[in-house]
Amino acid sequence: MSSRQVFEQSIQINASATVVERCITDNVFMHRWLNPALRCEPIGEWSTDVGAQSRFVIQIPLIQPALKSVVLEREPGLIVWGFEGFFSGCDRWECLPAAKGTQLLNRFEFEIPNPLIRFGFNRFAATWTREDMQAQLRRLKRVAEEASQGLRT
């Protein structure tokens, strides 16, 4: 039995795919929509080129668990981060041009190798993670639409 899980969500954003992509890949914009308890630190220079590395740190007092990530795929409108740590998998962000702006698709596909951590996640954190993904998408929508308005004025 596979322990692989997939959380997939999307949102319609009234901004161009270029603006939405910039909000996803620019480290300054990223920290405006990421969960405030999550910090993304570059390993070396910040980059979203294939092979670029970063660390996502959950700011829990004392333990601060982290996931090391690497950009696996990158093309216009698409970035896929692979990660290793207490989770293993990938986080795919795809900007799909739509009639009015952009449809943003986020697919979080992962496995939790440690059975004890997997049990704890499924029991206590899976629902929170899905809700947090939705909240992140709403914050990203707001940031992208504000950025888009700023470009027009």
Side-chain angles (χ1 to χ4, degrees), residues 38-99:
L38 189 61
R39 187 176 71 241
C40 179
E41 303 170 339
I43 297 174
E45 291 289 318
W46 176 257
S47 172
T48 57
D49 294 338
V50 170
Q53 296 182 21
S54 55
R55 183 175 12 284
F56 286 85
V57 180
I58 301 171
Q59 299 182 84
I60 298 172
L62 303 176
I63 58 173
Q64 295 200 343
L67 289 172
K68 184 176 177 185
S69 69
V70 61
V71 177
L72 299 175
E73 245 184 284
R74 184 71 170 99
E75 51 188 69
L78 173 71
I79 185 162
V80 179
W81 275 285
F83 49 88
E84 292 292 330
F86 52 92
F87 285 91
S88 297
C90 62
D91 195 13
R92 177 185 181 93
W93 294 83
E94 188 170 8
C95 301
L96 305 166

Side-chain angles (χ1 to χ4, degrees), residues 10-149:
S10 68
I11 194 166
Q12 173 67 36
I13 301 175
N14 297 319
S16 72
T18 304
V19 169
V20 174
E21 178 181 359
R22 182 168 177 222
C23 289
I24 296 166
T25 60
D26 180 285
N27 195 252
V28 174
F29 276 115
M30 182 185 287
H31 282 96
R32 290 183 54 199
W33 58 263
L34 272 177
N35 181 316
L38 189 61
R39 187 176 71 241
C40 179
E41 303 170 339
I43 297 174
E45 291 289 318
W46 176 257
S47 172
T48 57
D49 294 338
V50 170
Q53 296 182 21
S54 55
R55 183 175 12 284
F56 286 85
V57 180
I58 301 171
Q59 299 182 84
I60 298 172
L62 303 176
I63 58 173
Q64 295 200 343
L67 289 172
K68 184 176 177 185
S69 69
V70 61
V71 177
L72 299 175
E73 245 184 284
R74 184 71 170 99
E75 51 188 69
L78 173 71
I79 185 162
V80 179
W81 275 285
F83 49 88
E84 292 292 330
F86 52 92
F87 285 91
S88 297
C90 62
D91 195 13
R92 177 185 181 93
W93 294 83
E94 188 170 8
C95 301
L96 305 166
K100 287 192 172 190
T102 303
Q103 186 71 26
L104 177 62
L105 176 67
N106 178 216
R107 179 182 172 93
F108 181 46
E109 188 172 335
F110 62 96
E111 197 165 10
I112 304 172
N114 182 305
L116 188 59
I117 294 173
R118 182 171 52 246
F119 172 81
F121 175 82
N122 290 332
R123 178 96 175 151
F124 303 107
T127 299
W128 175 84
T129 300
R130 282 191 177 96
E131 290 170 358
D132 186 57
M133 285 177 67
Q134 291 171 343
Q136 279 191 155
L137 287 177
R138 288 190 300 272
R139 287 190 301 267
L140 197 152
K141 173 184 172 77
R142 187 185 68 244
V143 168
E145 289 176 352
E146 287 173 2
S148 184
Q149 289 299 316

